[in-house]
Amino acid sequence: MTISDQYTRLRLLLGDERLEKLQNNFVIIAGLGAVGSYTTEALARCGIKKMRLIDHDTVSLSNINRQLYALHSTLGCPKAEIAKQRVLDINPNCEVEIIQGFINKDTVSEYMSGSPNFVVDAIDSLNPKAELIAFLRENNVPFISAMGAALRTDPRFIQTGTMNQVNHCRLAFMLRKRLRKRNVPLDFPCVFSTQPLDNIPTPVYPEHSELTPGLGRERTVMGSLPTITGIFGLLLANFVIQNLSGKLFQ
């Protein structure tokens, strides 16, 4: 080991054996926005061997306040393409696949192919999220899911737990209803905030989805902080790192 090794700090913490165990994996990240972009960043900096990055969207001006890939120089560019370029700039030896598509019941099997060691669900749309989680549970694929980060302001309420522990989250409430109808167990890991939203400003205007016709619907824009969404993404990555390295930090 030399000081010039880009993984020196990881080696010092994990040791060679655990670092190799961490890096020799195939990880899929679904959703490359405010949360998923930070997850991707952290895992790329750990030297993960293979990554598949999934996102249908392109960068818009309103993304710049919170999304890692959103810059004035990347407006209109596919998020998956930008993510791949950044991962390879961090770790040129990573095998990076990208999918510029929308997860649904017809695509989820193809998108999750190749026996991934871990999947990160950073999707913010209800239907694709439900389809992905149902598929992963049915096929016993290890994963962690992000619940709603919008409207949150206090990082002290952010935690990692299981889906059946989540409260004060409209996304989780709706998601649980759909998963229960499909008999999907709710004991899978999540990152979520328990911050009550009683005094938080409500969404202010509707936004028409820019998804492919027939795949999206009108959504409501909700305020969000770059700090909170970033913390969500990094906690997702930290969970993956702990599990794949075999070193569960207390």
Side-chain angles (χ1 to χ4, degrees):
M1 179 178 70
T2 68
I3 197 65
S4 62
D5 180 358
Q6 75 179 69
Y7 303 116
T8 295
R9 299 302 180 97
L10 285 167
R11 292 183 192 281
L12 289 171
L13 185 62
L14 298 176
D16 289 337
E17 184 177 342
R18 289 188 185 277
L19 178 58
E20 183 178 356
K21 184 177 181 181
L22 168 62
Q23 293 179 334
N24 191 31
N25 282 288
F26 169 29
V27 178
I28 297 177
I29 301 170
L32 301 172
V35 173
S37 60
Y38 281 87
T39 305
T40 304
E41 180 84 1
L43 295 179
R45 291 183 183 277
C46 288
I48 298 296
K49 179 180 179 181
K50 181 177 179 180
M51 302 174 75
R52 180 179 297 154
L53 310 177
I54 304 172
D55 199 293
H56 71 278
D57 207 1
T58 58
V59 175
S60 64
L61 190 62
S62 64
N63 298 153
I64 292 179
N65 87 301
R66 69 201 184 283
Q67 298 188 16
L68 191 62
Y69 308 129
L71 308 166
H72 283 274
S73 62
T74 62
L75 290 175
C77 298
K79 294 177 184 178
E81 286 281 3
I82 302 166
K84 178 179 179 178
Q85 293 169 16
R86 187 170 176 96
V87 169
L88 291 176
D89 205 12
I90 295 168
N91 176 17
N93 296 318
C94 185
E95 181 183 345
V96 185
E97 301 176 358
I98 61 172
I99 296 177
Q100 294 172 236
F102 196 80
I103 292 177
N104 55 39
K105 63 181 181 180
D106 297 320
T107 62
V108 64
S109 178
E110 176 188 353
Y111 290 2
M112 294 297 116
S113 64
S115 301
N117 301 103
F118 220 95
V119 174
V120 175
D121 161 35
I123 300 171
D124 61 2
S125 298
L126 185 58
N127 289 337
K129 199 173 191 74
E131 288 294 340
L132 177 59
I133 291 171
F135 178 89
L136 295 173
R137 288 310 308 257
E138 182 179 348
N139 290 276
N140 297 311
V141 180
F143 74 99
I144 185 169
S145 181
M147 295 299 110
L151 303 179
R152 315 293 171 163
T153 59
D154 193 335
R156 295 174 297 176
F157 289 91
I158 305 172
Q159 59 185 273
T160 303
T162 56
M163 180 60 165
N164 46 26
Q165 296 174 314
V166 183
N167 55 45
H168 298 291
C169 180
R170 178 68 176 173
L171 175 61
F173 174 76
M174 298 299 294
L175 184 60
R176 273 195 293 257
K177 289 177 63 176
R178 298 193 180 209
L179 295 177
R180 285 189 181 114
K181 288 180 179 179
R182 300 173 66 162
N183 297 313
V184 176
L186 300 178
D187 57 350
F188 57 87
C190 298
V191 172
F192 58 94
S193 172
T194 60
Q195 180 181 0
L197 298 178
D198 297 341
N199 298 318
I200 303 298
T202 54
V204 292
Y205 65 94
E207 177 185 68
H208 291 279
S209 173
E210 296 178 356
L211 305 181
T212 303
L215 296 180
R217 59 183 178 179
E218 186 177 275
R219 290 196 270 177
T220 303
V221 175
M222 293 181 286
S224 58
L225 293 174
T227 48
I228 300 299
T229 52
I231 291 169
F232 266 65
L234 292 174
L235 282 176
L236 291 171
N238 196 65
F239 188 90
V240 176
I241 291 165
Q242 289 188 33
N243 279 270
L244 293 183
S245 69
K247 189 175 182 67
L248 299 176
F249 306 106
Q250 301 297 325

